[in-house]
Amino acid sequence: MRCDEKSGRDELRICPGSSRRAVIRRMAWWEMTEAVMTGGRMPESAARQQFALLLQSWKKRSGRSYQALGRRLELSHSTVHRFCTGKQLPQDAALVDRLAAALGADRQEAEILRGVWRLALAVPLGRPERGHDSGAGATAGSAAGGASGSAAEGAAEEAPHDDLPRDIADFTGRAEELGTLLKAGGTPSGVWTVDGMAGVGKTTLVLHAAHQLKEGYPDGRIFLDLHGHTAGVAPMPAADALKALLGAAGVPEEGIPAEPGRRASLWRSALARRRMLIVLDNAVDAEQVLPLLPGATPSLMMITSRARLVDLDGTGTITLAELSAEDALAMFMKIADAGPPADLGDAEETVRLCGYLPLAIRIATARLRHRLSWTPGHLNDKLRQEHRRLAELHAGSRSVIAAFATSYGKLAGPARRMFRLLGLIPGVDVDLAGAAALTGQPVEDAEAVLEQLIQAHLLQRPSADRYRFHDLVRDYARAVLTEQEPEEQRQEALGRIVEHYLRVADHAAELIEPSRRPNPPSGTNPAAAPAVRLADRREAVAWLERELPNLIAAVECAAAGGLLVQTWQLARSLWHFFLLRGDTRDWIHTHRLALDAVQALGDREGEAETLKNLGVAYWLSDDREGAIALHHQALVLDCWNGDPVGQAKTLTHLGFVHHRSGEYAVAADHFLLAVMLYREVGDPVGGNRGLSGLGDSLRRMGRAERAMPYLMEALSLSQSAADPWGEIQARTGVALAYLEAGEAGLACRHLVRALELSRLLGDRLSESTVRTALGAVWLEVGDAGMARRHFTRALTLSRQSGDRWGQTEASAGLKAAGTRQR
């Protein structure tokens, strides 16, 4: 049977036996012919489907398969299939003409095909609009279905590629980072990298974002593990990754070029007009990823890596840290799926011991779920043991140790050594100079290696020149240190870092107390200069405040490591700073360690120095008897050693102890002997402090006429010796003497200057004493309000410093001020 087809639709006759599908196909043909040949327009949303309908009809007519057409056109058969199903448009008119010729179209048909193609170009490549294109899609699908061979060839490609792993139902937190990725999904194109330490939840975040974004990427969703840090698996070469990506994009294996450069070009071409979502997980470095980046495309690519991919220009970057305490607890509760535990504090401690690291929290909750008799408190008992904590954090194939081990295994030799030795950091962090000292490297070389550890997220940099470990990473560093670093080298490294702290602390102590006797030489290179040069007293105080936790830890590590000389000398270097701050708890702790060390050494001079410095801490802690006993032991050793300066210092300390106990006559005797010894050895700084104590003791005894000359001499000596601490003591004594003489104005003048000096020095102990005296002055002149302000501040400072005597004096002043106000 044949159909007689005229040039107009109204003359179209349907032959008996013609199918409904054939009629629809013919009607579509004439619609296109009219629109294109007469210069009219057809709905743009239908143009792409009509273009596909023409190709499908002509393909059936030609009898050629997609493979045969691909060979004729020098294209892959999947590309030809996308043309014929409307998923992709040819990029230029020349290719449209070649396509028409391969399908056996005549000149008029080729002209119509070009016209429809031009209309279709105006339609963005993506999912057809619902309700508007559904009929056209059905027409194209029906045309394809009418050709039995075409239906079989295209069935596998009808659904877009989607191999995203499942989303995590218990995803928690990361609101800001998730919002950034979701916002990126609304832009025309983009590449985002998400980096962070092992186990921090990079893949979880990206997959959670991908599942929320997937509906906006109808041309396919690809997930590819690049095996950058997979145990026992080498990172995927870029060429292999390109082959996998091209295959996922529909390019048949035989159509993928062998050369990596041509594969990268074909990959960019494949994405040029397609809207796909690509997740590249677990990249090892920028070199692996660079060839995989798309060109101009509406697609979105998200890349995860433990390394910071700093060489990828023009990409957005998100760096994940551990969870906040609140989000970590919420995650624990959600995964445990058993509601709040009996003791919420146990759960809070569990996530803290897990370092707020998502992987560790997941493992911990998995262990709890599979050990029904365990509670968070039971697990915490195990996690508190630092040497066992990492071993406890494993469940099935998941292990925190394994996660860290793959990151460590990627490091070069110098970076591995730096990582191991940083496990010896005495405190919570270290500066650049300390890290260089630890490894015995020049600062410039150490900085370059530290940067490698930061890029690998095995080390954190909280500020420009500070480095620290995550708690669990520190545990791992100490584990590999013990396993891989010989004992002798570990001991040498510990000696270097402790010696570094000792030299800089000694340098700082000299700036704070210029008159102090330097520490005896220690270490293998006693002439070496400190690695950190401090310009003045203010810088010295700032350095000591910043490094104090590390310095205390260094004393502890030196004591534990048998570095006895460094133990007592480092503690001695801190004693005057402890005096300024009044921190008696750390003061007593470090000096007890120092005393054990110096006694083990048999160093009598060092023992005498340590005893008297420890005795002052006891005195400020209100342990009068302990303070006196320690100073008497020191005085015996000073005499045994024939050390007049040591004797004078001990006598001065004993004078202050008796003075605060109200034993002014006994105090005056000790001060007088100290002044005589200081004068014999020509020590004006020590002398002015003894004179201040002597003058104030005489004042307290009611001998103001004898007290004032000593106090004024102390003030003169402290000024000529540029001793601000001694000047504060002298001015305070002079002011109180003037106050007793009824000269409140002169007293106030001296106390204001003493207050300026104490605040300049950061001396809480002295500031508390001066403010108590100022309160007394204002009380004397009748201004109870001003007096109360100074007494209140004095009480606060004395509480901060742990000065019990100062608290008593300030409290008494407050009580008196309150009585006056009433």
Side-chain angles (χ1 to χ4, degrees):
M1 296 181 185
R2 53 187 300 275
C3 297
D4 186 13
E5 298 162 356
K6 302 289 185 178
S7 59
R9 184 192 302 176
D10 57 337
E11 298 179 27
L12 178 66
R13 297 193 305 273
I14 306 300
C15 298
S18 296
S19 67
R20 181 179 179 86
R21 182 175 296 161
V23 173
I24 293 173
R25 203 160 50 239
R26 284 183 179 277
M27 290 177 66
W29 166 263
W30 286 107
E31 284 178 353
M32 288 184 292
T33 302
E34 282 187 358
V36 176
M37 298 302 292
T38 64
R41 289 188 59 81
M42 61 187 299
E44 290 181 350
S45 58
R48 181 184 296 273
Q49 298 299 335
Q50 299 292 9
F51 183 83
L53 186 150
L54 285 175
L55 297 183
Q56 284 286 351
S57 299
W58 297 345
K59 177 182 176 297
K60 180 183 178 183
R61 183 179 66 187
S62 71
R64 297 190 179 106
S65 66
Y66 287 118
Q67 287 81 2
L69 289 169
R71 286 192 294 270
R72 280 176 173 265
L73 294 167
E74 297 182 345
L75 298 171
S76 69
H77 76 270
S78 61
T79 300
V80 178
H81 180 273
R82 286 197 295 273
F83 291 161
C84 292
T85 55
K87 292 182 178 180
Q88 183 175 344
L89 287 173
Q91 305 249 339
D92 53 57
L95 182 54
V96 174
D97 290 342
R98 289 172 54 209
L99 189 58
L103 292 168
D106 58 26
R107 187 177 64 181
Q108 184 180 19
E109 289 173 332
E111 185 178 347
I112 293 172
L113 186 66
R114 281 197 303 274
V116 176
W117 170 75
R118 282 192 294 270
L119 291 174
L121 279 181
V123 182
L125 182 61
R127 179 166 294 181
E129 298 176 10
R130 292 185 179 182
H132 188 70
D133 285 351
S134 58
T139 303
S142 299
S148 57
S150 300
E153 292 172 12
E157 294 202 21
E158 287 299 324
H161 181 95
D162 188 348
D163 62 357
L164 290 179
R166 68 182 181 88
D167 195 5
I168 303 298
D170 50 36
F171 182 86
T172 307
R174 307 296 192 197
E176 181 179 350
E177 296 88 349
L178 180 62
T180 299
L181 290 178
L182 295 181
K183 185 177 179 181
T187 60
S189 63
V191 177
W192 280 83
T193 64
V194 179
D195 59 67
M197 65 181 290
V200 80
K202 303 178 292 294
T203 303
T204 302
L205 169 66
V206 166
L207 284 177
H208 189 66
H211 278 279
Q212 295 193 42
L213 292 168
K214 64 186 296 184
E215 294 304 320
Y217 294 90
D219 295 326
R221 281 79 67 175
I222 302 174
F223 179 89
L224 182 62
D225 187 349
L226 298 176
H227 297 298
H229 297 84
T230 304
V233 180
M236 182 182 291
D240 292 352
L242 284 166
K243 182 178 180 181
L245 291 170
L246 287 167
V251 179
E253 186 171 355
E254 62 271 17
I256 299 176
E259 298 82 358
R262 290 186 61 196
R263 287 184 180 181
S265 177
L266 182 58
W267 169 239
R268 291 191 295 271
S269 177
L271 290 182
R273 292 183 59 82
R274 304 172 79 182
R275 190 168 176 82
M276 300 188 75
L277 178 61
I278 304 105
V279 176
L280 302 180
D281 188 44
N282 199 10
V284 66
D285 54 27
E287 183 179 357
Q288 181 190 33
V289 171
L290 195 58
L292 314 182
L293 299 183
T297 175
S299 297
L300 174 66
M301 178 177 284
M302 294 185 286
I303 306 167
T304 73
S305 178
R306 294 187 192 178
R308 291 181 177 172
L309 306 179
V310 293
D311 293 337
L312 299 185
D313 297 329
T315 61
T317 300
I318 295 174
T319 297
L320 287 189
E322 57 269 27
L323 292 169
S324 66
E326 295 78 10
D327 285 344
L329 182 61
M331 178 182 178
F332 178 91
M333 297 300 191
K334 188 179 290 187
I335 298 174
D337 195 29
D343 186 352
L344 187 62
D346 282 343
E348 291 174 336
E349 185 176 11
T350 299
V351 296
R352 182 185 63 79
L353 291 170
C354 289
Y356 307 116
L357 189 68
L359 174 62
I361 295 170
R362 290 188 180 279
I363 291 173
T365 51
R367 299 201 71 187
L368 288 173
R369 283 201 310 267
H370 291 89
R371 290 166 175 79
L372 299 181
S373 61
W374 280 21
T375 64
H378 182 81
L379 178 61
N380 293 343
D381 289 340
K382 296 178 177 296
L383 296 179
R384 287 190 200 101
Q385 303 174 49
E386 184 178 307
H387 65 284
R388 289 190 55 187
R389 177 162 34 181
L390 288 178
E392 293 295 334
L393 290 174
H394 73 88
S397 61
R398 293 184 298 178
S399 165
V400 172
I401 290 179
F404 292 161
T406 54
S407 294
Y408 174 73
K410 299 293 182 183
L411 298 175
R416 288 190 190 185
R417 178 173 179 267
M418 173 70 84
F419 177 79
R420 293 193 300 269
L421 292 181
L422 285 173
L424 290 169
I425 293 174
V428 295
D429 64 1
V430 70
D431 63 3
L432 177 58
L438 186 66
T439 56
Q441 294 177 285
V443 169
E444 296 79 8
D445 295 345
E447 187 172 22
V449 179
L450 289 167
E451 189 62 31
Q452 294 177 37
L453 295 179
I454 290 169
Q455 295 301 325
H457 285 289
L458 285 169
L459 193 65
Q460 299 173 347
R461 181 163 50 196
S463 59
D465 188 28
R466 308 298 299 181
Y467 303 90
R468 71 181 180 195
F469 279 131
H470 181 275
D471 289 349
L472 297 180
V473 178
R474 181 195 61 227
D475 293 348
Y476 179 71
R478 290 175 176 174
V480 295
L481 174 74
T482 302
E483 293 172 2
Q484 301 179 18
E485 199 74 20
E487 170 64 27
E488 182 180 354
Q489 295 183 21
R490 296 202 302 269
Q491 192 67 14
E492 289 174 358
L494 177 63
R496 287 193 297 266
I497 186 68
V498 171
E499 189 70 25
H500 160 74
Y501 281 129
L502 172 58
R503 287 176 184 163
V504 184
D506 202 39
H507 170 46
E510 289 175 1
L511 291 170
I512 292 175
E513 189 185 12
S515 63
R516 74 188 287 271
R517 289 190 291 183
N519 279 322
S522 67
T524 56
N525 186 13
V532 176
R533 296 300 304 181
L534 304 169
D536 52 27
R537 191 181 194 283
R538 180 172 296 184
E539 280 194 12
V541 171
W543 185 86
L544 287 166
E545 284 181 334
R546 185 171 61 249
E547 296 289 348
L548 186 60
N550 296 328
L551 293 167
I552 294 169
V555 174
E556 294 169 341
C557 288
L563 302 175
L564 303 180
V565 173
Q566 289 85 348
T567 300
W568 84 265
Q569 289 189 2
L570 183 52
R572 176 179 182 262
S573 296
L574 298 176
W575 98 270
H576 197 79
F577 180 74
F578 284 138
L579 178 63
L580 294 178
R581 287 294 183 265
D583 190 350
T584 55
R585 183 183 60 181
D586 291 332
W587 185 349
I588 291 172
H589 171 59
T590 55
H591 279 66
R592 280 176 174 165
L593 294 174
L595 185 60
D596 290 342
V598 77
Q599 287 175 341
L601 287 167
D603 182 347
R604 289 177 177 170
E605 290 186 3
E607 183 178 357
E609 184 75 7
T610 304
L611 283 166
K612 66 190 69 172
N613 292 343
L614 180 58
V616 176
Y618 275 45
W619 166 52
L620 292 175
S621 299
D622 209 23
D623 184 355
R624 174 184 177 278
E625 299 304 322
I628 290 175
L630 289 172
H631 278 94
H632 283 169
Q633 293 178 48
L635 188 59
V636 170
L637 289 172
D638 288 329
C639 295
W640 183 279
N641 297 330
D643 180 6
V645 175
Q647 294 174 45
K649 182 178 178 179
T650 304
L651 288 167
T652 302
H653 287 186
L654 281 168
F656 283 117
V657 173
H658 288 292
H659 180 277
R660 281 202 172 181
S661 300
E663 301 167 325
Y664 300 120
V666 178
D669 290 341
H670 284 86
F671 284 130
L672 182 59
L673 287 172
V675 169
M676 293 171 60
L677 287 169
Y678 277 129
R679 284 176 172 170
E680 284 182 9
V681 298
D683 184 347
V685 173
N688 76 58
R689 294 174 185 179
L691 287 166
S692 291
L694 177 58
D696 200 57
S697 295
L698 291 170
R699 178 188 67 80
R700 297 271 188 167
M701 293 165 64
R703 301 177 182 178
E705 72 287 350
R706 293 187 58 192
M708 187 60 85
Y710 290 124
L711 291 169
M712 295 303 293
E713 183 181 359
L715 178 58
S716 176
L717 284 173
S718 63
Q719 289 176 313
S720 61
D723 175 22
W725 192 85
E727 185 177 346
I728 293 170
Q729 313 313 310
R731 285 190 182 277
T732 303
V734 169
L736 291 173
Y738 275 130
L739 183 61
E740 287 188 358
E743 299 286 349
L746 289 174
C748 189
R749 186 183 308 168
H750 282 285
L751 288 173
V752 167
R753 177 56 181 161
L755 181 62
E756 291 174 354
L757 288 172
S758 63
R759 296 181 69 179
L760 182 65
L761 299 182
D763 184 350
R764 295 174 186 164
L765 194 66
S766 294
E767 184 180 350
S768 173
T769 302
V770 172
R771 285 190 179 276
T772 298
L774 274 168
V777 170
W778 285 108
L779 202 59
E780 181 67 23
V781 299
D783 192 336
M786 283 294 293
R788 187 175 184 83
R789 285 177 56 187
H790 284 292
F791 286 133
T792 299
R793 181 59 180 159
L795 182 59
T796 299
L797 289 167
S798 59
R799 283 172 175 167
Q800 290 175 352
S801 64
D803 179 8
R804 302 289 179 83
W805 181 85
Q807 292 175 46
T808 300
E809 292 286 300
S811 296
L814 273 173
K815 184 176 180 180
T819 302
R820 290 285 182 91
Q821 280 187 319
R822 287 195 296 269

